[in-house]
Amino acid sequence: MNNNYKSKVKNKIRIIPLGGLGEIGKNITAIEYKDEIVVIDCGISFPDADMYGVDLVIPDVTYLLENRDKVKGIFLTHGHEDHIGALPYILKQINVPVYGTRLTLGLVENKLQEHGIMADCTLNVVKPGDIVKLEKLSVEFIRVSHSIADACSIAIHTPIGRIIHTGDFKIDYTPIDGQVIDLERFAKLGGQGVLLLMADSTNVERTGFTISEKVIGESLNKLFQKADGRIIVASFASNIHRIQQIANASISVGRKIAFSGRSMERISQVAMDLGYLHIPQESIITVAEIHNYPDEKVTIVTTGSQGEPLAALTRMASSTHRSIEIQKGDLIIISASPIPGNEKFIYNVINELFKKGANVIYNTTEEIHVSGHACQEELKLIHTLVRPKFFMPVHGEYRHLKQHAQLAEKIGMDPANIFIGETGQILEVSQNECKFAGRVQTGAIMVDGLGVGDVGNIVLRDRKHLAEEGILTVVVTIERESYSILAGPDIITRGFVYMKESNELINEARDIVRKELEQCLNNKIKEWAVIKSCIRNALGQFLYIKTKRRPIIIPIIMEI
Amino acid sequence: MNNNYKSKVKNKIRIIPLGGLGEIGKNITAIEYKDEIVVIDCGISFPDADMYGVDLVIPDVTYLLENRDKVKGIFLTHGHEDHIGALPYILKQINVPVYGTRLTLGLVENKLQEHGIMADCTLNVVKPGDIVKLEKLSVEFIRVSHSIADACSIAIHTPIGRIIHTGDFKIDYTPIDGQVIDLERFAKLGGQGVLLLMADSTNVERTGFTISEKVIGESLNKLFQKADGRIIVASFASNIHRIQQIANASISVGRKIAFSGRSMERISQVAMDLGYLHIPQESIITVAEIHNYPDEKVTIVTTGSQGEPLAALTRMASSTHRSIEIQKGDLIIISASPIPGNEKFIYNVINELFKKGANVIYNTTEEIHVSGHACQEELKLIHTLVRPKFFMPVHGEYRHLKQHAQLAEKIGMDPANIFIGETGQILEVSQNECKFAGRVQTGAIMVDGLGVGDVGNIVLRDRKHLAEEGILTVVVTIERESYSILAGPDIITRGFVYMKESNELINEARDIVRKELEQCLNNKIKEWAVIKSCIRNALGQFLYIKTKRRPIIIPIIMEI
C-alpha cells in the first residue's frame, strides 16, 4: 500500500521552466521524469532599458547543477539567440550532449568556437522526425515553420504520456525551402493522446494568420524590378529564407550580392556551407568589389535592421562605414520589424538615410516583413490537432500567456486544465492530474563584458542613480592626532552639473562640507561613518534645494 | 531703381522654425514680416532615452530675444504639452501677449500659476474664426479636429500673401462636440490663393483616414454594457472628448465616475469649468467614495496610459496606490496607444494588472483608441483645398517630412516648390519665390529639476558613461615636502562591480596604482596632471583586460 502510494507519487513528470515564462527570451525548460532530465533550449535575453551597461542576460541553472547526474542533454528547437545564446555559458558549467538540427548546430558550433570550448562539447545532429531514445524518455523532433530554417517542435515521450513543446513556430503552407510544417505528426500524436502541450504565445495578440514568407519574395521582386540604383537590404542574418529571397530577386535582375556586417557574413557562410542557402558563387562579390560594378548591378545585404549602434547599416547612415557610402539613388529596404524598444534607434537610422538622399522602404510603408510566430488562427489549429489534456502557454510576457490561456478556453478547453506558470515554478503532471508544486531557484544572470554575474542589483541601482543624477565626491584629509583638516574638502562631480559653469554652487557646497566637518570635529565625533553621514545629509539637502537633484554623494576621509 | 530693389528684397516673409522640424515635439515657429514677428506655439519635447535624468526639453529662443521688439505675440494652436509646455520658461525670458482658444488658455493658466508668473502674463482668448489684427500681419484661427478640444489651424495674412500653418489636425466628420473642422474656410482661402502651407506630418506614413472619435464611443458602450465589476479607464487627461465618451458610457449604465491622478483631476476640472466636459455633478464621486458603491456602479478614469512610473494606473498595478487596489473582476481599458519608447513601460503595467486578476483591454486587442493626426487621405484633402504655391511639411522627424513632400508631389505639386526644412533654417518667401536663406541659433535646452540649461552635452556624456560602465575613484594623500604617500591609495567604485564580491580585483587595482604612483614619485614627476594621467592609463588598461569594461576613473591627489 505504502509502496504503491510512493510509486504513484513518483510516477509524474516535472516541468521546470528556468526561463521564458513571463518574459521574452531566455528560453530554457527542464523536463524531469524520475532520474532523467531533458532540457529544451538554452537562450539568452537582451537587457531591459534599465539594465544599464549589461550586454546580455543568461538563465540561472542552479537546478541543473544540483541535479547534474540526471541531465541527459540539451535539445534545441532552432538557432535563434533566445534559444541557443546561453549555451557557451551553461556548457561551461554543465557539459552535457547537445542535440539539434544541422543548421541549428552549425550556428552553435560557431559560438562554442568563439568561446574556445568547441573541442570539449558533444554536438549531435538530428533530422526532423528523428527520435532520440534515452533510458526512460524519448525526444522527438517535429518540423515546424519559423523565421529561421530547420526549426522543430519537440515531443517528449514518457511512460505516463506525451508532452509537446512547440518552440517558436508558425504555419507556412508555402515555405521557401518547401519543407512544410509536419501537421500530420501533430495530428497523429494528438490522436494517440497528448498529456501536456506547451505552445508559443508570442503572437497571440494578433488575429488571423501570419502571411507566408513567399509574399515577401513577391514584394522584393517588384521593388528590384523598378530599382535603377544600388539596393541595400537590411535583415536578420539568421533569417536564411529571407536572405534566399533577396538573393533570388537580385539574380533575377542580374545583380551581384555582397554581404556586409560580421554576423551577416558569418551566418550566410554557415548556411551556404550546410546547404541551406543557395547562391551561385559567381553572383557573390565582396563589399570591396562593389565599386567594380555599376550601381544597378549591386545588392548589399546587411545587418542593422534594428538600428544597432555598431551594425553595418547604422555605420552607413552615420558615414562611419569603412567602405560603403550612402548615395543619392540608393534604394534601402529594411526587411524586419523593430523589436519593441528598438524603434527610436532604427528610426534615427532611417532619418539619416533619407537625409543622404536614399529612398528607404520600411515596414510601415510596404509589405517587406512577416513575423516568425503563429497568430491566433494558427494557434487554434495546433491546439485542435494536438487536443492536449493539459496546457501551459510558454514564450511570452504574462499578458501573452494570459491571452493564450483565454484562446484555449475559447476553443473549448476546460480552464481547470490550463496552467499559467512563471519562470522557476514547477508544474507537476501525472496521468490524471496537473498542478503547480513548488519552485526552484532561477533568475537573470547579467553578463557585462567578461563578467558573468558580477553585476547585480546593487550595481544596477547605482548605475541608474548615476545615469539620472550623477555623482559628487568630497575628499578631505584629516590628521589623526590634532584632529584637524589638512587638505580639502575638494569636490569632484561627474554627470551632475557642468562644473565650469557651476563654480558658485560647488564653492557653496564646499563651504557646507567644511562647516559640517568642523562641527563634527569640534564635537569630538570620532566615527568616520557618522561624520560621513553628516556630510552626506547636509550636502544632499543643500543640493536638492538648489537644484532639485539628488546626485550620489561620496564623502572620502583620508586619515594620516 | 535702387530703392525699388531694396523694397523688393524687404518684401518677403521669413519662416523660422525654432523647433518641431526633424523632431517630434518642441513645436515653435516664428513668422517674420518686416518689423513684426508672430510666434506659433511654444512646446516642449520629452527627453530621448539617452538624455539621462533630463525632465523635459525646451527650445532655444535666442532669436526671439535678439528681436524682442518685433515679437508681437505667441499664438497657440491647441493645449498639448508639445505646443504649450515651454510657455512658462519662454515667457520668463520674453513676456509677450499669448493668444489661444478658451480651453487652450485654461490649460496655460494652470501652468503659469504653477510657475508663479500668471499675474505678469497677458492671455487673450480667441474663438475659432477670430482674426487678431497686428499692424501689418493678421492672425486667423481656423477650427480643426484633434485629440484635444478647441484646436485650431492658424492663417497669417500678410501684405504679400497668406500662410497657413495647420498645427496638429485630423478631419473628423462626426466629432464629439459637433464642432466640425472648418473645411469651408480652408477652401475659401485656397480659392483666394495661399502662398505657403505648413502642414502636420505626424501620420503621413499611414494610409487612409483616421477613424472618427465617435467609433471609440461605440466600443466603450459595448464594453460597459457587458462589464459587471469596476471599470478603470486610462487615457490622456487632455483628451476631453475621450473623457466625455467614457463619462457618457458610464452614465448610460448607471455608473459613478471618479477621477484619479493629478493631471486627470486638474484637466477634467478645467474642462468642466470652461464647459468643454459635461458630466452631471451627481455622477461624479471622489476616489475615496468609490467604496460606498457596489463595484458594478463605479468607473475610475485615470492617468497612466503610458506606464509613466508615478502615474495612478502604474501605482495601482504595483500596489502602491494610496486608495485603489486592483481586484479580480476589474475591467481595465487602456484607451491610448503607446508613444514610441513607452511600449515596455505600459506592457509591464498590463502584465501586472493581469497578474492581479483584472481583465485588460488594450490597443492590440480592441478598437479603443484613435489617433489625433491626419492620415494620407486627409492630408491629400487639405492640400487639395488649400492649393498652396509653396509647401513646407512640419511636425515630424525627417522621414515624415520627406514622405509628406512625396505625398504632395504625388498629388501634383511641383517638387521645386516643396521645402524640407530643419529646425533653425530660415525659409524666405516672397510673392514669386521661396528659398532657404541662412540659419538662426536654435537647439534643445534641457531642463533637469530646477536647472534650465545647466545640463549640457558634457554632463550627458558623463551620465551615459556612468550608466554603462560606472565610476572608480582613487584617492591618495601625498606630502609635498618628502614627496611620499601619506595615505591611500583608496579605491571607491559605484556602478562598476559589486565591491564585496570583487575584493581581489580592487586589491590588485590598488597595487597597480601604488606601483604607478611610486614610479612617478621616484622619477620626480611633479605635475599632478601627468601623475593622474599615468594612474588613469595604467588602471584603465588593467581593468579592461580583467573585465572588458571601462569605468570613468577619477584619480584625486590630496597634497599636504
Side-chain angles (χ1 to χ4, degrees), chain A residues 284-404:
Chain A
I284 298 178
I285 59 175
T286 65
V287 165
E289 289 171 326
I290 59 176
H291 303 292
N292 303 340
Y293 295 87
D295 289 347
E296 71 274 16
K297 292 295 169 204
V298 170
T299 300
I300 300 165
V301 184
T302 179
T303 54
S305 68
Q306 298 298 309
E308 306 93 323
L310 300 177
L313 186 66
T314 313
R315 289 184 191 272
M316 295 178 210
S318 60
S319 296
T320 55
H321 193 281
R322 232 177 320 144
S323 42
I324 302 172
E325 186 96 30
I326 297 297
Q327 60 198 34
K328 212 172 140 71
D330 283 345
L331 173 68
I332 296 163
I333 303 171
I334 318 272
S335 184
S337 292
I339 293 171
N342 291 349
E343 292 86 353
K344 285 223 169 185
F345 298 108
I346 184 62
Y347 287 139
N348 281 345
V349 168
I350 291 170
N351 287 328
E352 291 308 314
L353 294 171
F354 268 129
K355 280 186 201 165
K356 289 187 163 20
N359 194 15
V360 190
I361 310 280
Y362 51 106
N363 211 21
T364 52
T365 49
E366 308 267 338
E367 243 176 30
I368 44 165
H369 179 64
V370 293
S371 167
H373 298 275
C375 295
Q376 289 172 6
E377 295 308 311
E378 292 155 274
L379 293 173
K380 288 180 194 167
L381 173 51
I382 285 295
H383 278 268
T384 304
L385 289 179
V386 171
R387 287 180 285 154
K389 192 163 191 172
F390 305 111
F391 169 55
M392 177 160 78
V394 296
H395 297 343
E397 297 176 14
Y398 192 87
R399 65 192 162 105
H400 299 111
L401 306 181
K402 177 78 185 174
Q403 291 195 39
H404 201 170

Side-chain angles (χ1 to χ4, degrees), chain B residues 150-169:
Chain B
D150 239 11
C152 288
S153 288
I154 284 177
I156 297 174
H157 302 271
T158 82
I160 62 168
R162 283 169 209 88
I163 292 172
I164 293 182
H165 190 300
T166 64
D168 288 355
F169 83 104

Side-chain angles (χ1 to χ4, degrees), chain B residues 271-289:
Chain B
M272 285 190 283
D273 290 348
L274 297 178
Y276 289 88
L277 181 61
H278 308 279
I279 309 178
Q281 203 49 53
E282 68 269 18
S283 290
I284 298 178
I285 59 175
T286 65
V287 165
E289 290 170 325

Side-chain angles (χ1 to χ4, degrees), chain A residues 536-557:
Chain A
R536 206 180 280 121
N537 290 341
L539 198 51
Q541 208 175 358
F542 165 76
L543 293 174
Y544 187 71
I545 289 168
K546 285 285 186 178
T547 66
K548 283 265 185 297
R549 298 179 210 164
R550 301 189 185 281
I552 290 184
I553 296 174
I554 302 198
I556 303 176
I557 301 176

Side-chain angles (χ1 to χ4, degrees), chain B residues 136-198:
Chain B
K136 302 189 182 71
L137 301 175
S138 307
V139 183
E140 178 180 354
F141 288 79
I142 307 171
R143 181 187 304 287
V144 294
S145 316
H146 188 41
S147 47
I148 186 170
D150 239 11
C152 288
S153 288
I154 284 177
I156 297 174
H157 302 271
T158 82
I160 62 168
R162 283 169 209 88
I163 292 172
I164 293 182
H165 190 300
T166 64
D168 288 355
F169 83 104
K170 65 173 173 177
I171 296 172
D172 191 341
Y173 298 119
T174 55
I176 303 312
D177 58 2
Q179 305 289 330
V180 180
I181 175 173
D182 192 353
L183 291 175
E184 186 187 346
R185 187 63 189 154
F186 283 100
K188 191 159 183 199
L189 290 173
Q192 291 169 351
V194 170
L195 193 56
L196 172 71
L197 171 67
M198 289 177 267

Side-chain angles (χ1 to χ4, degrees), chain A residues 411-426:
Chain A
I411 57 172
M413 195 156 187
D414 181 350
N417 292 339
I418 302 173
F419 297 84
I420 300 181
E422 285 176 24
T423 291
Q425 197 175 17
I426 301 164

